Amino acid sequence: MRTLAPLVIFVYKRAEITKKMLYAINQNFLAKETEVFIFSDGPKGNTDVEQVKQVRKLIKEFECNNNFKRVSIIEEEKNKGLANSIIGGVTKIINKYGKVIVLEDDLVVATNFLQFMNDCLEYYQDMDNVWSIGGTTYNLQGLSQYKHDVYACYRGESCGWASWKNRWDMIDWNVSDYSQFRHSIRRRLKFKRGGQDMVAALERQMSGQTDSWAIRWCYCQSKNDMITILPRKSFVKNIGWGEDSTHAKENYDIFYTSVESEGFHYHLEPVSIDKVLMREFRKYFSRPLFKRVLDKVYEKWKECKFEKYNK
């Protein structure tokens, strides 16, 4: 009998979306066999204290009433910030269990999310070029003609993901070779294979404008010529981009996705980079703002139409 990966959840101060996330993950088929660790970050200042208290009340109620094998809560007294919270929390759990599945407070998942992530962790663990598993995909036209259920990507997907200890241990969180990277056209072009925005995002991180664990994670993936496995249909919907999010108040529509995988009977197999699909993927992350806004409006319209139809 296989050993399932623990689920690691990071929460902060958004009680309403945290409640939706917990409700969705609690419906998963493998909940009864899964151990959960919830990391709750501390308040930044007095203005956040009450919101953090609301979230902690919610997760303590969840700890007492859930469908999981076991739920453990780790509360921080002081604010660590998202990057340090995830780096520290994942490191602690992955060192003990060898693999993890990770969610943040604003991700609503399909009932087969844990099934897909565990299946992929088992299937791809010995393929040394696979960096991580993502639960999200994007609105790429090429996927409508794509003949496989998963595809390979140069970019790590941080909205619902999974990986293994031996990959996580490879990361240099200080990006010690950044100076060489900055002056290497070849390496910069290589990093852009995962999206036209990648180099600029790393530059913002290294200049102190942002505090992102994910761009450093993606940089290490690129440096080591590894791929992420993504599903043809999304298992995750991001409901947190916008005014209340910590880091993404602008251009959040890029990452807006919807859950499409309910009843998706996927077949796992070794996959390599599809050049046509990756060309479209890169363009997706460099689209003009007005096109991204139109995509957002269209997705919202589809949701409203679906809700009206099902009333």
Side-chain angles (χ1 to χ4, degrees):
M1 184 176 180
R2 67 175 178 173
T3 302
L4 299 186
L7 172 63
V8 184
I9 298 174
F10 294 92
V11 301
Y12 179 33
K13 64 176 185 177
R14 298 182 286 178
E16 285 303 312
I17 63 170
T18 299
K19 184 176 182 179
K20 293 177 181 178
M21 177 272 295
L22 291 174
Y23 176 83
I25 193 64
N26 199 43
Q27 310 307 311
N28 260 242
F29 303 140
L30 294 182
K32 290 183 179 180
E33 303 169 51
T34 302
E35 190 167 357
V36 180
F37 297 88
I38 304 178
F39 286 83
S40 172
D41 203 5
K44 286 182 180 178
N46 293 333
T47 56
D48 292 341
V49 170
E50 189 56 39
Q51 290 171 296
V52 170
K53 283 183 178 178
Q54 290 176 12
V55 169
R56 290 184 173 178
K57 178 182 177 183
L58 178 65
I59 60 177
K60 286 174 182 175
E61 290 173 353
F62 182 77
E63 183 183 21
C64 298
N65 185 20
N66 64 81
N67 295 328
F68 285 94
K69 179 180 180 181
R70 186 182 301 108
V71 173
S72 302
I73 296 174
I74 302 92
E75 295 181 353
E76 297 291 342
E77 285 188 31
K78 298 181 179 179
N79 184 267
K80 296 180 68 173
L82 181 61
N84 286 334
S85 292
I86 290 182
I87 293 169
V90 170
T91 299
K92 180 178 181 178
I93 304 305
I94 209 168
N95 281 346
K96 181 177 180 180
Y97 292 88
K99 55 186 175 180
V100 289
I101 300 170
V102 182
L103 285 178
E104 294 177 36
D105 60 3
D106 53 5
L107 303 174
V108 171
V109 301
T111 54
N112 52 350
F113 168 75
L114 291 177
Q115 181 76 56
F116 176 75
M117 302 306 271
N118 276 288
D119 286 347
C120 286
L121 282 170
E122 182 175 24
Y123 187 84
Y124 294 104
Q125 65 179 338
D126 296 325
M127 298 184 189
D128 294 337
N129 68 325
V130 177
W131 177 251
S132 64
I133 311 299
T136 302
T137 195
Y138 297 96
N139 186 25
L140 306 178
Q141 290 184 349
L143 288 175
S144 63
Q145 304 297 322
Y146 190 68
K147 296 182 180 180
H148 307 281
D149 293 331
V150 295
Y151 64 100
C153 177
Y154 290 119
R155 184 189 191 109
E157 173 50 61
S158 61
C159 292
W161 60 278
S163 193
W164 307 266
K165 174 177 166 53
N166 59 354
R167 277 71 153 182
W168 188 255
D169 287 345
M170 295 169 64
I171 305 169
D172 171 15
W173 295 107
N174 294 319
V175 193
S176 303
D177 62 345
Y178 180 65
S179 178
Q180 296 95 306
F181 170 80
R182 273 189 75 188
H183 296 95
S184 171
I185 295 175
R186 180 186 63 82
R187 289 176 64 179
R188 289 163 70 90
L189 288 174
K190 178 182 175 183
F191 195 29
K192 284 186 177 181
R193 294 183 306 176
Q196 295 293 334
D197 59 328
M198 300 287 275
V199 169
L202 184 60
E203 288 174 347
R204 290 194 296 272
Q205 167 64 33
M206 299 308 294
S207 65
Q209 297 177 57
T210 59
D211 185 23
S212 169
W213 70 273
I215 193 62
R216 290 176 278 172
W217 182 58
C218 289
Y219 172 72
C220 187
Q221 173 178 346
S222 173
K223 181 180 175 180
N224 287 280
D225 281 318
M226 299 176 78
I227 60 173
T228 285
I229 300 296
L230 297 181
R232 183 166 52 85
K233 295 184 178 182
S234 280
F235 291 81
V236 182
K237 176 179 178 179
N238 192 315
I239 62 172
W241 299 100
E243 291 302 317
D244 293 330
S245 64
T246 304
H247 295 294
K249 294 178 175 62
E250 297 179 2
N251 296 341
Y252 60 89
D253 49 289
I254 295 178
F255 301 98
Y256 183 85
T257 57
S258 57
V259 174
E260 305 171 317
S261 62
E262 297 290 358
F264 177 33
H265 300 291
Y266 50 83
H267 170 67
L268 301 182
E269 58 186 312
V271 288
S272 56
I273 292 293
D274 184 298
K275 293 182 179 179
V276 174
L277 202 58
M278 282 303 97
R279 191 179 304 123
E280 186 181 353
F281 192 95
R282 286 193 299 275
K283 288 181 179 179
Y284 183 87
F285 286 93
S286 60
R287 293 170 302 154
L289 178 60
F290 79 93
K291 288 187 177 181
R292 286 179 268 151
V293 171
L294 286 176
D295 281 353
K296 178 73 171 180
V297 171
Y298 177 63
E299 290 288 350
K300 287 291 187 183
W301 174 80
K302 284 199 301 183
E303 280 192 2
C304 292
K305 186 176 179 181
F306 179 80
E307 290 174 2
K308 182 177 179 181
Y309 178 81
N310 285 277
K311 282 185 177 179

